[in-house]
Amino acid sequence: SMSLREHALSLFRSAVGTVRPAPMLKRAVKLQGDECPQLLVKGQAFPVKQNLYLVGFGKAVLGMAAAAEEILGEHLVRGIISVPLGIQESLQQMLLKPHSKIQVIEGAKNNLPDREAMKAAVAIQKLAEGLTAEDLLLVLISGGGSALLPAPIPPILLKEKEKLTKTLASRGAAIQELNIVRKTLSLLKGGGLARLAYPAQVVSLILSDVIGDPLDIIASGPTAASSHSVQDCFQVLTKYNLLHNLPKSVEMVLSRSPARPAALENYSHVCNIIIGSNTLALDEAKRQAEGLGYATLILSTAICGEVGHVATLYRLLIQLVCLDFAGLREGPQSDEVRGNLLQLAAELQIPGLNLAEFLQALRELGTERPVCILAGGETTVQLQGTGKGGRNQELALHVGLGLHRARATEVSNSSKRCKIIFLSGGTDGQDGPTEAAGAFCSPELVDKALQEGLDVETFLSNNDSYTFFSQFQGGHHLLVTGLTGTNVMDIQVILITA
């Protein structure tokens, strides 16, 4: 029989598999009919006849474009995609065919806008401007698209815009504030690409790597109405005392811009569709888990917060399930764990998470079947040490330590009867600057590591989770998938059996 660990791995793989570029596009986009061919996108039909154009930008767009070209066939006239430097080398299995109609421009070295990215943005702009009402523009968008589409509104120069955003950042502006200014000065972001493509029909296929899938935030929303106005931009510049020493070009553009938000403009020619997200990936994992006989719940697809606190949330949840399995659902221990959980959830403020409701659902699962809890999102790590790791490996190590400590202090030994595996992995297959996607842990990890002379706390205090996992049991607890060519943030899998 498969071990818990193999189950966890297979659930992670099926979650990622469902948002890999090719299966994801084939699920969302179909070509139908010979006489009057139509492009079906998530149930909406668009007539096609060799009038299809394609543009794209983002880390996962190479694979998306290759799959799209295969589906569209001779209806595709031409395309241009802007992808990160070196991606064709690292993703050999997702390359475009020879003689492809899609031009690939690699740029944005170190995720910063550069000359190549600028060249791509200008080419995409020209293609969009040349379209007519007869044309259909397919736009492929994934995370990391922002640096790949730098096109300031003329006469602003890229270096002027960059200097302004750097100055803002150095004065403590939040990422949301930086984005408002960046978008206001951009030709293509904040709905700019959709405006340029008018009157062509625009269909955007979006792979989301942002919590909550906000259309105007993913890759800075080139085809979504901006939720900000020029007034918002003025407010940010005023707040950081920059209004009176702006470059002439920026002053010119701001004075020309209409004060009303772009949302009032007509976006009826645009159809934005999220074809891949953390939610879709977890839904697939849940289907698979139920097929394997687990009573399964999705905790949240918006898990965020400091990795140590998030680890405590998971550790307490696991303890609660184990107390249930031990028949200790009612009693001081359960009440204490439940109270701590609710307090922690209030502090973490995870968007859309109603923990009381979740705990009720957990209670209703009963104890007949093993339990699977799935979650996703993106945690943050506060670096104190100089070690090598990533947020997923660090999360797994924290959970392992927490479970170990909980076991050591437990009166009833209820959790000793439980088998537990916890997995955390990045869906892009790369956790921090390591070749691992994440790691597994269990409550036995700390003791077993001590037998090998490895002290978990020492590694954690140096942010050295990767070194720990690569040494412990010869790397057996590392999750290694290789680059997946997709990204919908991180996924956690918790499996508990009595």
Side-chain angles (χ1 to χ4, degrees), residues 296-349:
T296 310
L297 287 176
I298 294 175
L299 172 67
S300 162
T301 56
I303 297 289
C304 52
E306 199 275 316
V307 64
H309 295 147
V310 173
T312 306
L313 181 80
Y314 289 138
R315 191 252 308 161
L316 289 165
L317 271 175
I318 291 167
Q319 274 182 282
L320 199 58
V321 175
C322 288
L323 286 163
D324 270 9
F325 277 154
L328 296 167
R329 175 170 283 181
E330 309 304 331
Q333 257 185 299
S334 261
D335 291 345
E336 189 190 343
V337 171
R338 204 172 280 112
N340 288 344
L341 262 171
L342 290 165
Q343 192 187 335
L344 181 57
E347 285 166 27
L348 280 170
Q349 292 186 325

Side-chain angles (χ1 to χ4, degrees), residues 62-129:
L62 183 66
M64 288 166 78
E69 184 164 30
E70 214 164 284
I71 297 164
L72 304 173
E74 84 270 18
H75 297 288
L76 179 66
V77 183
R78 62 181 280 248
I80 302 164
I81 58 172
S82 176
V83 297
L85 191 67
I87 201 151
Q88 295 180 93
E89 212 176 345
S90 56
L91 289 178
Q92 287 297 328
Q93 75 280 22
M94 295 189 187
L95 296 181
L96 295 165
K97 300 208 173 8
H99 318 298
S100 164
K101 291 176 188 164
I102 300 171
Q103 180 191 0
V104 181
I105 303 177
E106 290 194 5
K109 189 179 176 183
N110 303 327
N111 209 14
L112 295 166
D114 55 16
R115 263 193 29 217
E116 288 305 298
M118 190 80 185
K119 184 179 117 183
V122 170
I124 286 172
Q125 173 201 338
K126 291 211 157 72
L127 185 149
E129 285 173 338

Side-chain angles (χ1 to χ4, degrees), residues 33 59 182 243 272 287 321 365 393 400:
K59 293 181 180 172
R182 229 180 249 152
L243 204 50
N272 285 311
R287 273 225 322 270
V321 175
L365 290 180
Q393 293 162 82

Side-chain angles (χ1 to χ4, degrees), residues 11 62 117 145 151 157 162 188 199 211 225 254 308 332 335 337 351 366 375-376 426 457 475 498:
L11 295 178
L62 183 66
L157 301 172
E162 287 198 303
L188 299 172
I211 283 177
L254 287 175
D335 291 345
V337 171
E457 290 182 53

Side-chain angles (χ1 to χ4, degrees), residues 26-49:
K26 287 179 182 137
R27 203 177 46 234
V29 182
K30 309 215 172 353
L31 200 57
Q32 261 189 359
D34 294 333
E35 288 301 300
C36 310
Q38 287 187 316
L39 189 67
L40 289 181
V41 186
K42 283 262 176 126
Q44 302 192 52
F46 304 96
V48 287
K49 210 165 186 135

